[in-house]
Amino acid sequence: MELQAGGRTVRLSSPDKVFFPEHGYTKLDLARYYQAVAPGILRALRDRPTTLERYPDGITGEWFYQKRAPKGMPDWIPTAHITFPSGRSADEMCPTEEAAVLWAAQYGTLTFHPWPVRRGDVDHPDELRLDLDPQPGTDYDDAVRAAHALREVLDEFGGLRGWPKTSGGRGLHVFVPIEPRWTFTQVRRAAIAAGRELERRMPERVTTKWWKEERGERIFVDYNQTARDRTIASAYSVRPRPHAPVSAPLTWDEVGVAHPADFDITTMPARFAELGDLHADMDEHAYSLDALLELATRDEHEHGLGDLPYPPEYPKMPGEPRRVQPSRARKPRPTAP
């Protein structure tokens, strides 16, 4: 089948291949969905190096992350050269038009994972992304409570405005457009500061503990999602679950009213046709992280709160604490009397 998008023709092979067996949704259903929300997902992806989460045989088959631009990618899809924490580098695709999204869907891409940078400057994020991740014993309603408290934190520290969306699972994401003048390390530091402030206000409900054994039944503020090469599913991305849910942009009034189960590839097109992209104005704003970075400095000087552990695949970072879970850490030997 051939699909038309912005003057380009995208060939869709095996359009009847079932990607979501429980409901019978096919590759064509996936492509038609992305056509329906094209302006929204392009706003989220445009000019961003993007990792593709691919399921060539549907959600019951094997899957993988495609970080490097695939061989045979059309030359009209631009790329950006990005560097991983390991020191290796690669060229990643940067969607700029609807046809690029459909081309990725043809190869079984369900979820798009854009970097928080633009291809013109791949070392300075233009988004602060805060991931509220429910832990065992908590649920979406707990993430909602944390999100509303986070909204207050952001407003108090720099007058920041966050744009919320469902993760497509049980969690919530809050994105803040920022000036692209801080490094990944500095943006991560600001995320840690915001998480710690939220933790102080909701100590029984929120945690920034990296080790799962320390989190308890609380919402985890996953600050490491702001580290280099860590990405969050874009708005409107389809998630690999049986009912084909999508990551749905919300207004703050909807946070706590709407539920993640409300949004999938069959319901989002009608919502988008009626309301458009609820996050369309994000690119009109760019906030400063100065207040959050000042908070991070106070945490360090007044409370002795320094850096937190990085993900395991990262090289040891300056100022990072020991990267070993507490239950396995060697206990200091008792001193002789």
Side-chain angles (χ1 to χ4, degrees), residues 136-158:
T138 65
D139 57 21
Y140 179 74
D141 291 336
D142 296 297
V144 164
R145 284 187 282 269
H148 283 296
L150 176 61
R151 185 186 186 188
E152 296 177 358
V153 169
L154 293 174
D155 183 60
E156 290 178 29
F157 290 91

Side-chain angles (χ1 to χ4, degrees), residues 116 210 222 224-232 311-314:
W210 175 246
D222 191 353
N224 269 332
Q225 293 290 52
T226 54
R228 180 185 287 273
D229 193 34
R230 283 299 184 98
T231 55
I232 293 178
E313 70 272 18
Y314 277 64

